[in-house]
Amino acid sequence: MTAGGRFFEDFRIGETIRHATPRTLTAGDASLYSALYGSRFAPQSAETFAQAIGYPASPIDDLLAFHIVFGKTVPDISLNAVANLGYADCRFLKPVYPGDTLSSVSEVIGRKENSNRQTGVVYVRSRGFNQRGETAIEYVRWVMVRKRSPEAPAPEAHLPELPEAVSVADLGSACPNIDRAAFDLELSGSPFRFEDYEAGAKIDHADGMTVEEAEHMIATRLYQNTAKVHFNQLSEGQGRFGRRLIYGGHVISLARALSFNGLANAFHIAAINGGRHVAPLFAGDTVFAWSEVIATAALPRRDDVGALRLRTVATKNRPCSDLPLRQGEGYEPSVVLDLDYWALIPRRP
């Protein structure tokens, strides 16, 4: 029998959902990911660089691993979604290498019907496990899901309590101790280390990247993301926007790739504190990005890397030379993504 996905009234607080189809990641997946976004961070790009600084092999890009774990959850969580709304308390706990196999499990931790009675918001905590049963990635997301029947009675609202940010003490477990003296700044593409950044600094990443229809379709298939809003023009052509939405994770990866210009040595995403997809993105739009350093932090018991708390904002069809963010009480109309995360960067020898 075929599966039509869950609707809002099908979710139960405390329910655990084990998602289908484990996924073994390969060097081919890493190469395709690089081709889609043009990411240039040195440890993920060069085996020689990664091994020189202390990795056993070049790691899978953090966001590629995140998207794979996320994609596993889609058929059970967001197949009937209107939109993925946000993320919180996302931690990268184990490095992922080619040959590792990831699988996903989610727990329903919150739900609330919307006032239109057509949809509701569901909160889940999802975990991605490697083949040894170790948690590699853990995160919370909330998604707006269609109701099967608008007349169905509304369940009691339950909203989870989420931390404002991931604790500094919880950062770094997915990054081995690195040889900071071996972190070649010429090869990495930037002379700047942890000590060169300070809270309040704003960085215009300058470059723009136009989203192509083929690229975002390849990306969603790479992640085995089956959400109708991304790949089914027949169904979405009759919807609110009249066309397919770009997967929100595609925007995150684009912004991360663009951030290389100014943050080239921030080589590892250690945690995502929170994120919002502010507005839809479509094929043909051009994405720009800028970042603000919210805070800098030394890691407990580590002197090889420090952590930058970054707020990266992505816009569509508007360069970020004037660093747009808000207009009055809301976001400036060009903003599509507001992402708050911790990234690790080498310290001076």
Side-chain angles (χ1 to χ4, degrees):
M1 296 176 65
T2 59
R6 295 174 183 231
F7 292 87
F8 175 72
E9 52 264 56
D10 297 326
F11 292 92
R12 302 287 181 268
I13 300 296
E15 176 184 14
T16 297
I17 305 168
R18 189 181 185 194
H19 306 292
T21 319
R23 177 81 147 77
T24 300
L25 287 162
T26 69
D29 294 313
S31 294
L32 181 54
Y33 184 85
S34 296
L36 288 168
Y37 303 106
S39 184
R40 292 177 284 164
F41 296 97
Q44 291 83 3
S45 297
E47 190 96 344
T48 50
F49 192 101
Q51 291 176 340
I53 65 172
Y55 280 92
S58 187
I60 292 292
D61 190 283
D62 305 303
L63 290 177
L64 172 55
F66 173 83
H67 296 323
I68 293 296
V69 171
F70 182 103
K72 302 291 94 190
T73 72
V74 168
D76 299 310
I77 304 297
S78 49
L79 189 66
N80 293 309
V82 177
N84 192 60
L85 299 177
Y87 313 90
D89 198 22
C90 174
R91 289 169 288 162
F92 294 82
L93 300 171
K94 293 288 182 181
V96 179
Y97 298 103
D100 283 345
T101 298
L102 297 178
S103 57
S104 302
V105 174
S106 295
E107 179 187 1
V108 180
I109 61 172
R111 63 182 180 181
K112 183 179 185 298
E113 185 182 63
N114 290 329
S115 59
N116 63 11
R117 303 207 62 194
Q118 304 288 322
T119 58
V121 177
V122 176
Y123 293 76
V124 296
R125 180 177 296 277
S126 298
R127 294 177 173 89
F129 299 92
N130 62 24
Q131 67 274 19
R132 293 177 293 278
E134 301 165 330
T135 304
I137 299 171
E138 178 177 338
Y139 65 93
V140 172
R141 71 160 167 144
W142 49 102
V143 57
M144 187 185 302
V145 181
R146 295 179 177 91
K147 289 182 67 177
R148 177 180 287 105
S149 170
E151 290 74 33
E156 181 180 356
H158 178 84
L159 298 179
E161 292 186 12
L162 299 172
E164 185 269 336
V166 175
S167 169
V168 172
D170 292 333
L171 307 178
S173 63
C175 175
N177 289 323
I178 69 166
D179 183 346
R180 51 185 167 166
F183 202 101
D184 190 315
L185 301 183
E186 288 186 331
L187 293 181
S188 69
S190 171
F192 303 119
R193 292 180 183 257
F194 171 72
E195 292 82 2
D196 297 310
Y197 294 86
E198 60 183 20
K202 292 185 177 180
I203 306 163
D204 180 0
H205 301 306
D207 304 318
M209 195 178 301
T210 301
V211 179
E212 303 292 346
E213 198 80 76
E215 290 171 350
H216 93 88
M217 292 308 303
I218 291 172
T220 52
R221 294 187 183 115
L222 174 65
Y223 313 139
Q224 296 177 327
N225 184 333
T226 58
K228 299 172 186 177
V229 293
H230 304 316
F231 72 86
N232 189 332
Q233 180 58 39
L234 187 61
S235 66
E236 297 312 304
Q238 308 302 316
R240 176 183 174 190
F241 300 108
R243 58 191 304 194
R244 292 169 290 183
L245 295 176
I246 302 299
Y247 163 51
H250 195 69
V251 184
I252 295 175
S253 285
L254 286 173
R256 169 68 173 162
L258 292 170
S259 76
F260 180 88
N261 189 0
L263 290 167
N265 290 333
F267 66 95
H268 168 55
I269 297 179
I272 297 174
N273 300 308
R276 291 187 62 193
H277 297 296
V278 178
L281 187 75
F282 302 101
D285 288 336
T286 300
V287 175
F288 298 87
W290 64 271
S291 295
E292 178 182 3
V293 180
I294 301 174
T296 65
L299 268 61
R301 300 176 296 280
R302 291 191 66 164
D303 60 4
D304 56 332
V305 293
L308 302 179
R309 185 176 175 184
L310 301 167
R311 185 183 197 179
T312 294
V313 176
T315 60
K316 59 181 178 182
N317 306 323
R318 176 174 176 177
C320 299
S321 57
D322 57 351
L323 305 180
L325 179 58
R326 290 190 176 274
Q327 187 177 61
E329 294 299 316
Y331 283 90
E332 199 275 343
S334 67
V335 175
V336 293
L337 173 71
D338 189 353
L339 189 70
D340 175 346
Y341 61 103
W342 288 105
L344 302 190
I345 185 169
R347 305 191 70 160
R348 290 184 184 139

